Amino acid sequence: MGHTDNGKGRIPPCGALSREVLVKPGGPGERADLSVTSRLSERPMFGEQCMEDVCERRNLQRALKRVIQNKGSAGADGMTVGELTGHLKGNWLSIKDALLRGEYQPKPVKRVEIPKPGGKEKRKLGIPCAVDRFIQQALLQVLQTKWDETFSDHSYGFRPKRSAHQAIAKAQSYIQEGYSHVVDIDLEKFFDRVCHDRLMSRLAERIRDRRVLKLIRSYLRAGIFEGGLIHVPTEGTPQGGPLSPFLSNVVLDELDKELEARGHRFVRYADDCNIYVKSLRAGERVMESIGRFIQKRLKLKVNTTKSAVDLPRNRSFLGYTFTGGIRPNRRKIAGKSLKRFKARVRQLTRRNRGISLQDMIMRLNVFLSGWIGYFGFCETPSIYRDLDSWIRHRLRCVQWKQWKIYHRRKAELLKLGVREDLAQTTAFSAKGPWGISNTPGVRIALNNDYFATQGLLCLAAH
């Protein structure tokens, strides 16, 4: 892959894609012009040659590069991402021909269940085969280039140049403006409940190419391989493919436009939607009316056990919450996020892992660097110091246990600068690893500088 299309089915080097920018009416906090929005939604955005754009050589090369970068497990056919390039070199002509004739049939997706954060529930993923991931990515790049400009400014999930941090900052700005209550709406099993007919109707408003519509319908109806059997879904967009997040935004853009028309302050990230109001009573009215809209118009269901009208500091949004008290409305890491953090660190720093302290710190750093990359947006830095102290305490336990016997422990303490009487008392102590790790002898030997020399990442210094 990486050569010109010379009739042998090979995909050329990528190049810049043209981008048509559409002007979107309305903006944050403004009431949208419904007539203009309606005309815009009915105006076809993609003509009858859309599939040719999908199969355009530069677009395909970009798609292949992205799929390889994202890696991921093999689908139901067992083909790995590493095998994809070779497969396309030998089979791309026939695949392309089927796409252009509107006759391509996706393979079933593989059902995989992963635990949801902070609970016993499982999230069901549908992993497409590598070829279908490649085609979906190519299709996504064409559709999203133009369509994204028409999405709401209040939508932040799965969109180019938008992030969870921007969504959290926007929510914070509403709270600081005096919108003291949040209507926290949780959609029950959203990705499993999307109505195919409504989704296809929305897509058909913008796409004239019937081949593209048929292909998307085929992906929605692709069988799910689970437990040796294949069943065909009648609703939902299986999570796991590149196209699914975009389709979720197409569905929920209707909710965004409704909230804009009503003049609400809100933030949506994928299926997490928070609406900010000035009183509990106003929030209850919004919850009731928007709940009816979601159920009757979108054919979705609000999870009443997880949705609520409350003060922002009592709710979490994308792993964060906000402070109350003397210095209110600052970004703060939510309690559930801290529990998940500690659970993961406990796994990585188990005393019986059978690896050296240096190897343990190296693996721990990989997790810590990714975690601080997201939760470094917090505005309460004291939590980082507390977590650093707790992590070092756990690592002292590991090192103490690895020293094992009295003579080794005393020798190591002396080597690290502990005076002899304290080293002897500490080495002879009957306390367990957790207790002994907080005594002066161990803390002097295994101090902050010691862990810094071992390369331990410091959260407070990020």
Side-chain angles (χ1 to χ4, degrees):
M1 311 296 282
H3 301 282
T4 57
D5 191 345
N6 58 4
K8 297 181 180 179
R10 292 184 290 182
I11 302 169
C14 63
L17 292 181
S18 62
R19 181 177 178 88
E20 179 182 344
V21 179
L22 301 180
V23 179
K24 182 174 65 59
E30 298 180 1
R31 185 176 181 85
D33 183 337
L34 294 182
S35 61
V36 174
T37 303
S38 177
R39 287 197 302 272
L40 181 61
S41 65
E42 293 173 0
R43 183 184 306 157
M45 190 181 297
F46 303 93
E48 295 180 358
Q49 299 297 309
C50 185
M51 186 62 80
E52 278 74 13
D53 294 336
V54 173
C55 295
E56 192 267 333
R57 57 189 62 172
R58 290 174 296 179
N59 183 56
L60 293 172
Q61 185 62 30
R62 286 179 57 217
L64 180 61
K65 183 178 180 181
R66 177 58 64 89
V67 170
I68 291 174
Q69 286 175 341
N70 290 342
K71 300 180 181 179
S73 59
D77 62 352
M79 182 189 299
T80 65
V81 172
E83 299 169 328
L84 177 59
T85 301
H87 177 81
L88 291 176
K89 283 182 179 179
N91 297 275
W92 174 243
L93 273 182
S94 60
I95 295 172
K96 179 180 178 180
D97 183 60
L99 288 169
L100 294 177
R101 286 188 285 109
E103 297 176 359
Y104 179 81
Q105 287 297 322
K107 289 183 172 65
V109 299
K110 182 174 72 174
R111 172 69 80 203
V112 175
E113 293 186 352
I114 60 174
K116 287 186 176 181
K120 296 181 179 179
E121 297 181 42
K122 296 289 186 78
R123 176 176 283 116
K124 294 183 177 181
L125 302 181
I127 308 299
C129 69
V131 173
D132 285 322
R133 254 179 279 174
F134 166 65
I135 295 171
Q136 284 193 33
Q137 181 65 37
L139 181 57
L140 170 67
Q141 289 168 180
V142 171
L143 297 182
Q144 193 169 50
T145 298
K146 294 181 181 180
W147 208 311
D148 188 77
E149 295 292 337
T150 71
F151 285 144
S152 169
D153 287 337
H154 303 267
S155 166
Y156 293 86
F158 309 120
R159 297 182 59 190
K161 299 181 181 179
R162 286 179 169 250
S163 68
H165 286 173
Q166 291 173 334
I168 295 162
K170 191 63 179 178
Q172 183 182 25
S173 72
Y174 290 141
I175 299 168
Q176 292 171 341
E177 289 172 10
Y179 292 85
S180 57
H181 287 72
V182 60
V183 182
D184 187 354
I185 296 177
D186 182 89
L187 299 178
E188 186 173 307
K189 297 181 179 178
F190 167 71
F191 285 94
D192 297 330
R193 294 182 181 273
V194 170
C195 175
H196 288 179
D197 290 338
R198 280 196 59 80
L199 173 56
M200 292 308 303
S201 176
R202 296 282 292 177
L203 293 170
E205 291 175 357
R206 308 282 185 90
I207 303 171
R208 283 182 174 174
D209 194 328
R210 294 183 179 274
R211 297 167 299 177
V212 171
L213 295 172
K214 183 181 177 181
L215 179 61
I216 295 174
R217 171 79 76 169
S218 296
Y219 278 122
L220 294 174
R221 300 273 296 166
I224 297 175
F225 184 77
E226 184 177 18
L229 300 174
I230 296 176
H231 69 273
V232 178
T234 57
E235 60 181 4
T237 60
Q239 298 182 72
L243 200 56
S244 182
F246 169 75
L247 296 179
S248 71
N249 275 334
V250 172
V251 172
L252 292 175
D253 187 57
E254 192 170 353
L255 172 62
D256 296 340
K257 295 300 192 292
E258 178 68 16
L259 292 172
E260 286 179 347
R262 297 186 185 192
H264 288 307
R265 273 72 174 172
F266 71 98
V267 179
R268 183 177 67 78
Y269 191 97
D271 56 337
D272 289 335
C273 184
N274 280 5
I275 308 168
Y276 294 87
V277 295
K278 291 193 173 181
S279 69
L280 177 64
R281 188 173 180 180
E284 290 171 344
R285 288 198 303 267
V286 170
M287 176 70 83
E288 183 179 354
S289 62
I290 293 300
R292 285 197 304 267
F293 175 85
I294 290 172
Q295 184 171 345
K296 293 182 179 179
R297 184 75 66 84
L298 302 184
K299 309 301 181 185
L300 298 170
K301 187 176 180 180
V302 175
N303 188 332
T304 55
T305 60
K306 294 183 179 180
S307 301
V309 181
D310 208 337
L311 298 173
R313 65 173 177 264
N314 297 331
R315 307 295 294 180
S316 64
F317 181 54
L318 302 178
Y320 282 83
T321 185
F322 299 94
T323 59
I326 298 175
R327 301 182 65 187
N329 305 332
R330 292 188 299 160
R331 298 186 296 270
K332 175 184 174 183
I333 302 172
K336 289 182 179 180
S337 300
L338 291 175
K339 287 181 180 179
R340 289 196 292 270
F341 171 86
K342 289 192 171 184
R344 181 58 179 151
V345 171
R346 287 189 183 99
Q347 287 181 335
L348 293 169
T349 58
R350 292 194 312 271
R351 283 171 249 162
N352 59 353
R353 289 199 69 190
I355 60 176
S356 69
L357 183 68
Q358 290 75 22
D359 285 345
M360 185 175 288
I361 288 174
M362 181 178 66
R363 299 179 190 187
L364 179 62
N365 280 347
V366 174
F367 168 70
L368 294 179
S369 61
W371 188 86
I372 198 65
Y374 183 75
F375 286 104
F377 198 51
C378 171
E379 293 179 320
T380 55
S382 61
I383 188 62
Y384 302 131
R385 296 190 292 272
D386 293 342
L387 293 176
D388 280 332
S389 177
W390 177 74
I391 290 169
R392 287 191 294 265
H393 194 162
R394 289 194 61 83
L395 292 175
R396 289 187 188 105
C397 292
V398 172
Q399 186 67 90
W400 186 255
K401 185 173 182 181
Q402 289 182 354
W403 284 343
K404 292 185 178 179
I405 60 176
Y406 158 73
H407 295 293
R408 170 84 184 277
R409 287 170 175 172
K410 181 180 177 181
E412 294 290 350
L413 291 174
L414 290 171
K415 189 189 303 182
L416 291 169
V418 179
R419 68 179 189 271
E420 186 165 357
D421 61 330
L422 182 57
Q424 183 168 336
T425 302
T426 304
F428 264 120
S429 175
K431 292 182 179 180
W434 185 259
I436 196 68
S437 297
N438 204 34
T439 59
V442 176
R443 290 179 67 89
I444 290 170
L446 305 179
N447 56 25
N448 294 2
D449 291 339
Y450 172 82
F451 287 112
T453 61
Q454 298 297 314
L456 177 65
L457 189 150
C458 179
L459 299 177
H462 77 278

